[in-house]
């Protein structure tokens, strides 16, 4: 599938501020950057870093005092791998690659160590695999209300679980927490999403099943085969689209993601397959 | 029903310490103190206070440095009022006596303000009354594990709800939180309980329904018509059997509560009625 | 001192809603209501309750669906008692009236049980009395930033202590927590305040010292002898100016409190005395 | 310096249990394994993994039901690099290697996002570098009590900051949180420590200053140049000496770490230098 991304961020730096952006789409075998351009303010130089293990791409720059406009435009082609959900099974912890094991650990927003008793009681009897993580997503969708403004940047899955309201990042954090508590490695994924209305950055999660990372979205706001991955991390603390050190107001942001092949009908069919954008 | 209570507390005061005890059984129309004796250390004088609204009885004393032994013995006769559960209905908030309304407020261990969304989703459709509070108790019994040592004196219902384990005070705090979130006044009750094995202080809660306080125990450790009330309060912060200001070690405590009328069989029949020890 | 209060609340009830207002000024020997009027919507009847122990005044009414306007106007004369701060000393816990002892207990927003170690280290060496509570207020003023919007209705003193920002209710909750942790009974007070800019409801706290409740305000936004008490309680959970059961939007509120005797200069002198509005 | 390590762990597996051990000392240019042996139960096979970026060494095995004994013995030679503390300065965020930047993010036990306001007020004026992190350690040592049993495996730095008591892992978590809040990358380090009495695993932290990781220990229980590094991670969630999936009781553990060169006097001199075991 082919997508056009157009993302504009506007900032006002009140002091000289170091900004680290993570808005460029990942590239890999299943997500190809056809062309792209990151426009940064005139006279500002930037450094680029791509993390080998995750393919996250960072752009670091020092913004002088004043108003700044940053724009990222890209054409991206994704070729999501799809699988029959019944054939996607968990690996026992004893067979997990060591590299994915840190994604079993609790993190800032995903205190999976506190949620194990519930997770086992609720999901323990379901066959461990794609089906179990889908059951997690269904439970979240049915038990947590999606309410803009109901959480903030300090909200952890512990609070979302009690308060039963949140936004996409909270839904992802709760899904990750349950998966980890059940011995399934899980990580946060920030994405561009053509289905999302109104358009904005979106957050989903991936679970490691049968040797591959699979995408899940407990919000049911998007079809999981029409996402473009930006960054993966343990939770939102690792995957912010922008981090800064200094004083920055904003950003008013405007994001447009358009699906540019396939017809309108296609857009309306949501996949029922297991979907992966990993190799 | 008639009960013999024998409760011994042993303390070691490391500095001069003010101790406030709240171990004496309440007396009222449905709970009569036949005879009782509170033995405090020789040479220690004490002050007594009974709170008019709650009938909680406090004994305050200053313990000098050293080892101390306190013993409370009482014979108490209770005449619990029982009602058909189906006839015990909630009052709407607009008809509640103003005196009970503070028991709708969140408190230290019962942050009912955080648990409303869950409570309404889970219990909202059940007729508001004894049946609804029983549904709360059933939910707690089925979803929270009773595990000695799984909580401590700082554990609130928010944590118990997430962690899904606790002891009697945690079960009571969670029940109170749900009831308040649903507009039903609820309060903590510390009790003596002849059924409890091993014998110890026990904690249950009361909900205000149809003009009266009814007893509930989500632990299912005791029949609610065989309890002797010690103190009521917003939560455990109000109803500690002992509070001290100074340095006190202990207490090793030993508690015996014996049901002294009725036969053994009676002890094994648990009531299915709504039970109240209020007038 | 004489004050004119004019307070308007506007609500939109989306369903029939029970509203409990607590906006009427307390009356007592040191705070006299010269005249007052609470205007409630036409056709709505209301019930009044004054709590004997606290003198809090509640007005309960059922609002039908629709827009409603409530207005409270009053002329109040206060005669604050003032004392030399050095002569206002704490009572030891062994001499406190039993009635005030619940104000030593932790509450929803004042988990004093968690803050004792800090409180004793920071304030333990200061003579226990008005001076100690003033030291608490000074510490809060110097260490916590007053930032509108930095907290919400679920914020407890534990969070304010860590995050070091809040508004008047958070400052009061932190002050209360420290005082209780140090064995000084303390309670929340909602007030009208002529000094406050912009005008709004305000929150301060009282500590029980030498047989009387004294007023403290860690925000330094008002002179504590120019406050009109509305309600006292364990914390904000007990002292909301409005509580409702149903669905209510709003309130846009507008509050004016004017000091109507004394000249402008007087307004600018802040008291350095210990101040009490209790008898 | 040369050390002999002897560490025995005893477990009782109640079900077949996957155990991941992380007790083997790291090896690198400044920490050489002279010889070592990890004895695992007869008939149990194990897999080894060394993480390239961190040099953490994991040993994974499946324990059958029954009692098991694991013993790690090693002779390790460390050559800590020492520097004049005044010459060790922070790098601005704009010059940090991208690889260390995740150590600026908040983590499960180090919610640095909540502690920034305090950290800047308390430590903001101190020159950013070794001196600033030492000031953090001094503050922790002076303000937090080291009390065995005062925290548990769910305690985060937010709670330690409020409660002001903890053990070595809590001291490390709080130090890491402050450093990150101030823009200094910091990570958790589990270590063997010859100075520690009684002998046990120990936890310290490292801060990234001037291109290198430096060791800090806010507990003042050990000289930081007499430590042997086992594992580094974002916090204790990443650096447990043992993680298991299944049911395991224990471990009774016994640890001996002996400094085998240098004389007794040397042991008593604590370094005042900046110390690093990184290359």
């Amino acid at each position: 599938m082919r997508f056009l991304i157009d993302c504009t961020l506007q900032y006002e730096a009140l002091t000289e501020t170091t900004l680290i952006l993570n808005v460029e789409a990942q590239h890999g075998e299943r997500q190809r950057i056809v062309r792209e351009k990151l426009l940064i303010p005139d006279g500002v130089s930037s450094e680029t870093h791509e993390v080998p293990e995750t393919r996250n791409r960072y752009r670091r720059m020092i913004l002088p005092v004043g108003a700044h406009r940053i724009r990222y435009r890209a054409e991206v082609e994704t070729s999501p791998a799809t699988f029959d959900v019944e054939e996607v099974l968990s690996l026992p912890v004893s067979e997990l690659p060591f590299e994915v094991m840190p994604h079993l650990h609790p993190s800032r927003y995903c205190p999976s160590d506190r949620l194990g008793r519930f997770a086992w009681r609720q999901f323990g009897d379901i066959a461990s695999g794609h089906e179990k993580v889908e059951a997690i997503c269904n439970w979240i969708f049915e038990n947590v209300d999606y309410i803009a403004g109901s959480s903030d940047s300090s909200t952890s899955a512990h609070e979302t679980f009690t308060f039963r309201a949140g936004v996409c990042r909270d839904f992802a954090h709760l899904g990750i927490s349950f998966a980890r508590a059940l011995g399934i490695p899980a990580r946060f994924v920030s994405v561009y999403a053509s289905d999302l209305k109104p358009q904005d950055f979106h957050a989903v999660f991936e679970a490691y099943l049968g040797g591959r990372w699979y995408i899940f979205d407990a919000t049911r706001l998007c079809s999981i085969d029409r996402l473009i991955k930006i960054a993966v991390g343990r939770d939102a603390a690792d995957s912010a689209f922008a981090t800064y050190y200094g004083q920055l107001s904003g950003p008013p942001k405007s994001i447009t993601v358009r699906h540019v092949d396939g017809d309108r009908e296609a857009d309306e069919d949501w996949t029922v397959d297991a979907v992966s954008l990993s190799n």
Side-chain angles (χ1 to χ4, degrees), chain A:
Chain A
M1 285 180 237
R2 200 169 278 246
F3 300 92
L4 289 180
I5 297 162
D6 190 342
C7 165
T8 301
L9 306 172
Q10 295 189 65
Y11 288 102
E12 174 86 26
L14 308 177
T15 60
E16 188 181 270
T17 295
T18 298
L19 175 68
I20 298 121
L21 285 179
N22 188 5
V23 298
E24 293 162 276
Q26 291 196 343
H27 58 84
E29 286 174 36
R30 304 200 164 278
Q31 185 169 294
R32 194 169 64 88
I33 309 294
V34 181
R35 55 202 168 93
E36 66 174 350
K37 184 132 195 95
L38 181 69
L39 284 160
I40 63 170
D42 279 351
V44 171
S45 62
S46 75
E47 262 179 296
T48 289
H49 178 68
E50 180 174 327
V51 181
E53 303 86 39
T54 60
R55 301 220 160 162
N56 290 357
R57 297 162 72 195
Y58 296 97
R59 189 68 74 100
R60 182 166 62 184
M61 65 196 76
I62 301 177
L63 296 179
V65 172
H68 302 287
R69 193 159 175 277
I70 290 161
R71 186 173 184 186
Y72 175 63
R73 301 179 69 185
E75 181 175 347
V76 179
E77 180 159 33
T78 65
S79 320
T82 58
F83 302 86
D84 184 335
V85 293
E86 287 171 19
E87 287 168 18
V88 178
L89 301 178
S90 297
L91 293 176
V93 172
S94 57
E95 294 174 24
L96 287 172
F98 280 97
E99 288 75 12
V100 308
M101 295 198 60
H103 291 96
L104 288 172
H105 300 168
S107 60
R108 168 65 179 89
Y109 299 110
C110 304
S112 46
D113 53 309
R114 302 305 286 163
L115 288 159
R117 198 174 292 275
F118 170 79
W120 279 96
R121 192 188 302 260
Q122 187 71 33
F123 307 112
D125 291 339
I126 301 166
S128 197
H130 200 280
E131 194 186 343
K132 185 173 287 214
V133 187
E134 270 183 284
I136 289 172
C137 291
N138 291 341
W139 185 93
I140 295 172
F141 181 79
E142 284 155 19
N143 289 281
V144 182
D145 296 324
Y146 193 103
I147 300 178
S150 61
S151 63
D152 63 31
S153 66
S154 78
T155 304
S156 78
H158 172 29
E159 290 156 314
T160 304
F161 181 69
T162 305
F163 189 52
R164 299 291 166 104
V167 297
C168 60
R169 63 180 251 149
D170 305 303
F171 279 57
H173 287 151
L174 194 49
I176 293 166
S177 300
F178 289 147
R180 289 181 188 166
L182 295 163
I184 300 172
R187 66 185 184 185
F188 190 89
V189 192
S190 62
V191 296
Y192 290 110
S194 61
D195 293 347
L196 199 64
K197 291 184 184 63
Q199 294 250 302
D200 199 346
F201 290 109
H202 188 46
V204 300
F205 72 102
E206 287 182 330
Y208 191 84
L209 300 166
R212 190 184 280 274
W213 289 101
Y214 288 86
I215 297 177
F216 294 88
D217 183 355
T219 68
R220 297 194 191 166
L221 292 174
C222 303
S223 185
I224 54 172
D225 61 348
R226 289 200 290 272
L227 303 174
I228 301 110
K229 285 170 72 172
I230 305 170
V232 297
R234 298 202 186 177
D235 59 26
D238 275 3
S239 315
F241 67 87
T243 312
Y244 63 88
Y245 297 83
Q247 281 193 286
L248 212 57
S249 73
K253 55 188 189 299
S254 111
I255 294 172
T256 318
V257 183
R258 243 170 355 106
H259 186 186
V260 289
D261 57 357
D263 50 16
R264 181 91 186 89
E265 274 67 50
D267 259 349
E268 286 167 357
D269 286 332
W270 283 30
T271 185
V272 295
D273 287 331
V275 172
S276 174
L277 281 169
S278 299
N279 305 321

